[in-house]
Amino acid sequence: MDVKIKFLGAAGTVTGSRFLLEIERQKILIDCGLFQGLKELRLRNWEEFPTDPSTIDMIFLTHAHIDHSGYLPRLVKNGFKGRIICTEPTLDLVKILLADSGKLQEEEDAYALKKGYSKHNKPEPLYSIEEAKKVFPMLEAIRFSEETEVNNRLRITAYNAGHILGAAILKLKIIGDHQEKTIVFSGDLGRHNDPILNPPVNIPFADILFIESTYGNRKSDPSTVENQLETAIRATYSKGGVVIIPSFAVGRTQLVLYHLHRLQQKGKIPQIPIYVDSPMAIDVTHLYKSYNNYHRLGPLLQNGHANPFSHKNLHYYPSQEASISLNAIKGDAIILSASGMATGGRILHHLYNRLPNEKDSVIFVGFQPEGTRGRKLLDGDKYSRMYGLDVEVKATIYYIDGLSAHADQKELLDWAEAYTSKPKMTFIVHGEPDASQNLADLLQDKLGWNTIIPGYLESFVLFSGI
Ligand SMILES: [Zn+2]
């Protein structure tokens, strides 16, 4: 029996995670993500899928982020009919994220139609909300740390990856005619000391390993996050202003809420109201609450600790009217809203309203890529173009470092070091070229591992005649 892999994304870049594993005649897709970021990458979402979707037997998801799950509706639209297997929290998160993604696709399509720049005569979205929802009944949940027999050739186990709620490292056991082999997909790995999520589980053994390398060339220190937040919030409070935090709905919002709650508990920042103004962030925060036992907060709450996701200063504002009403607040408030890069969503009306006010401040809590409004504000632009107008920037702009949900270089290396024997081959994926190369060098030099950095659409035979 032969086993092959083909890299249909997340090779030489961090988005579009999708690896096609062929076990004899079975075709299995590991993750099914959208390409994001640069236009040249996004155009791949529109290309014909490199293998006929109707011939794929099943999909295993490592986690719910759109760059790992967002292509599912398109694949189903184009004929995929198999099983989609993921952990229980991922199943619930995927539904929230895909519905939102369908909405964004419809909005983009409507915008293209209005502006007349669509290439298609009759433009249609990559997928609609309705098409996104067709994925839901195909999702099947597995439990963490329990081996599941998929069929007589294949067993799967999901281990906590600590990256976002439900994120998993996937271990596949392949039963050949003569031998059993183990393949491990790291998925996206989280931090060692995340206050909410448990650290990634160490895996002792893999014949073949696929490891992410997002931060393969970077260090990220989370220990100063609360000090940085405290400084920014106190400075704004002393001027009588409002703090705006553009935040990603999944993971980042919950982490920021945790830190804000702690700062208030310790008396380091004033007891001012905190508003969560994003329907998706609110839905996701409720999921974090209902899956308490999948992260660190469950045991803490049982011991009588206060809940960072429900306390007297915290207010959830799901409706559009409530969101708009926040513009009337003159000071002493913290508002979290999406999107995290200030590229769209409700954050825009907050920025439009707050940027011209020198008392107010905007705190970015995540990396702002080149070309985004967030990056331009951090670079000191004096005006920001919004709703067809140049809005003057008088508010103070802050950036908080250290809130990444990805293992940094040292944490990646520590996780690799926990293998008790060297994998026969390690594929370095999900990284920009420099980051992947840096991690590959470290794994080779420090641990003596064999590594390959695969290219887009490259394929390899993993085992033959097993
Ligand atoms: Zn991710």
Side-chain angles (χ1 to χ4, degrees):
M1 191 177 94
D2 293 351
V3 180
K4 287 186 277 186
I5 192 88
K6 188 167 187 184
F7 295 90
L8 309 185
T13 182
V14 290
T15 66
S17 273
R18 34 196 219 192
F19 311 134
L20 182 67
L21 185 69
E22 287 185 60
I23 304 174
E24 221 169 24
R25 275 175 296 281
Q26 273 188 77
K27 281 191 191 173
I28 297 157
L29 202 56
I30 314 296
D31 283 336
C32 189
L34 272 191
F35 286 98
Q36 297 171 314
L38 296 173
K39 191 173 178 194
E40 126 196 18
L41 290 173
R42 282 184 282 120
L43 285 174
R44 286 184 190 165
N45 295 327
W46 292 93
E47 287 168 8
E48 196 180 338
F49 199 68
T51 191
D52 178 358
S54 69
T55 64
I56 299 172
D57 297 282
M58 62 190 96
I59 299 171
F60 301 152
L61 294 182
T62 61
H63 66 289
H65 271 149
I66 283 300
D67 62 316
H68 293 255
S69 72
Y71 195 79
L72 284 170
R74 185 75 178 179
L75 206 71
V76 170
K77 186 175 178 172
N78 288 334
F80 171 74
K81 291 195 173 57
R83 308 165 67 183
I84 305 168
I85 294 175
C86 59
T87 65
E88 291 168 299
T90 294
L91 190 151
D92 285 327
L93 262 182
V94 160
K95 290 182 182 172
I96 296 173
L97 268 75
L98 288 186
D100 182 72
S101 180
K103 186 167 140 254
L104 289 177
Q105 302 297 340
E106 287 186 12
E107 283 170 3
E108 253 172 50
D109 183 59
Y111 187 74
L113 192 63
K114 197 171 113 196
K115 292 277 174 185
Y117 66 57
S118 172
K119 293 185 299 308
H120 316 277
N121 287 335
K122 237 175 90 190
E124 58 169 90
L126 194 62
Y127 51 83
S128 63
I129 300 176
E130 278 319 303
E131 284 163 340
K133 287 182 177 168
K134 288 190 179 149
V135 173
F136 299 177
M138 303 167 82
L139 297 163
E140 288 177 40
I142 54 170
R143 298 172 69 86
F144 272 108
S145 306
E146 276 178 24
E147 190 175 75
T148 302
E149 186 169 324
V150 178
N151 55 42
N152 60 355
R153 289 293 195 192
L154 189 58
R155 292 183 193 142
I156 182 169
T157 316
Y159 296 96
N160 178 55
H163 167 64
I164 57 168
L165 180 68
I169 300 159
L170 297 180
K171 183 173 90 180
L172 307 189
K173 201 182 274 178
I174 297 168
I175 298 114
D177 296 323
H178 315 288
Q179 294 174 53
E180 277 187 16
K181 295 288 182 190
T182 301
I183 304 181
V184 172
F185 293 90
S186 75
D188 288 4
L189 294 170
R191 315 297 314 256
H192 279 6
N193 294 308
D194 188 279
I196 298 176
L197 300 166
N198 289 303
V201 169
N202 288 329
I203 311 288
F205 177 82
D207 288 296
I208 306 281
L209 171 63
F210 298 79
I211 188 172
E212 70 121 325
S213 57
T214 316
Y215 272 45
N217 58 348
R218 273 183 285 171
K219 294 191 171 76
S220 169
D221 178 10
S223 66
T224 62
V225 163
E226 285 188 3
N227 281 340
Q228 297 175 62
L229 276 171
E230 181 191 336
T231 306
I233 291 165
R234 286 175 71 125
T236 313
Y237 180 72
S238 68
K239 287 191 281 185
V242 170
V243 171
I244 303 292
I245 305 182
S247 185
F248 299 94
V250 185
R252 197 62 48 92
T253 293
Q254 294 74 34
L255 194 53
V256 171
L257 288 179
Y258 172 89
H259 287 302
L260 293 177
H261 179 54
R262 257 179 48 118
L263 287 167
Q264 287 193 326
Q265 276 190 313
K266 290 196 229 160
K268 302 237 172 178
I269 59 168
Q271 300 284 330
I272 53 178
I274 301 166
Y275 299 95
V276 184
D277 175 30
S278 150
M280 185 159 70
I282 293 169
D283 288 346
V284 173
T285 306
H286 289 319
L287 266 194
Y288 269 69
K289 274 203 288 194
S290 61
Y291 280 106
N292 258 340
N293 292 326
Y294 285 74
H295 52 73
R296 292 184 199 259
L297 296 184
L300 283 178
L301 295 177
Q302 275 168 13
N303 288 333
H305 277 73
N307 192 332
F309 303 143
S310 50
H311 54 89
K312 67 176 174 41
N313 294 332
L314 185 58
H315 308 277
Y316 293 107
Y317 270 29
S319 77
Q320 187 70 31
E321 301 81 65
S323 173
I324 298 294
S325 75
L326 291 170
N327 289 333
I329 297 177
K330 291 287 173 251
D332 303 347
I334 300 170
I335 299 169
L336 279 85
S337 191
S339 74
M341 291 186 244
T343 41
R346 290 183 181 181
I347 192 68
L348 290 187
H349 80 75
H350 291 299
L351 291 176
Y352 181 80
N353 186 44
R354 303 290 172 184
L355 284 176
N357 187 356
E358 58 191 359
K359 287 185 188 167
D360 295 336
S361 65
V362 181
I363 305 180
F364 287 98
V365 291
F367 178 68
Q368 304 295 309
E370 206 79 54
T372 58
R373 177 178 285 106
R375 178 62 164 264
K376 288 178 189 159
L377 288 171
L378 284 172
D379 286 345
D381 276 18
K382 292 278 167 266
Y383 292 90
S384 187
R385 187 93 186 151
M386 260 176 258
Y387 307 120
L389 293 166
D390 283 324
V391 178
E392 196 174 1
V393 181
K394 286 191 169 166
T396 311
I397 313 291
Y398 293 93
Y399 176 69
I400 306 291
D401 192 29
L403 276 161
S404 164
H406 283 275
D408 75 354
Q409 187 188 60
K410 183 175 183 307
E411 289 164 327
L412 286 168
L413 201 61
D414 286 348
W415 185 77
E417 243 174 332
Y419 280 80
T420 50
S421 61
K422 288 183 224 175
K424 282 168 203 68
M425 185 52 71
T426 297
F427 291 92
I428 317 276
V429 295
H430 200 287
E432 297 299 333
D434 281 356
S436 297
Q437 189 60 56
N438 221 301
L439 183 65
D441 292 346
L442 281 173
L443 292 175
Q444 281 158 10
D445 298 346
K446 297 215 167 182
L447 307 181
W449 283 17
N450 299 317
T451 60
I452 291 176
I453 304 171
Y456 179 52
L457 296 181
E458 210 174 343
S459 53
F460 297 84
V461 175
L462 300 181
F463 310 109
S464 60
I466 60 167

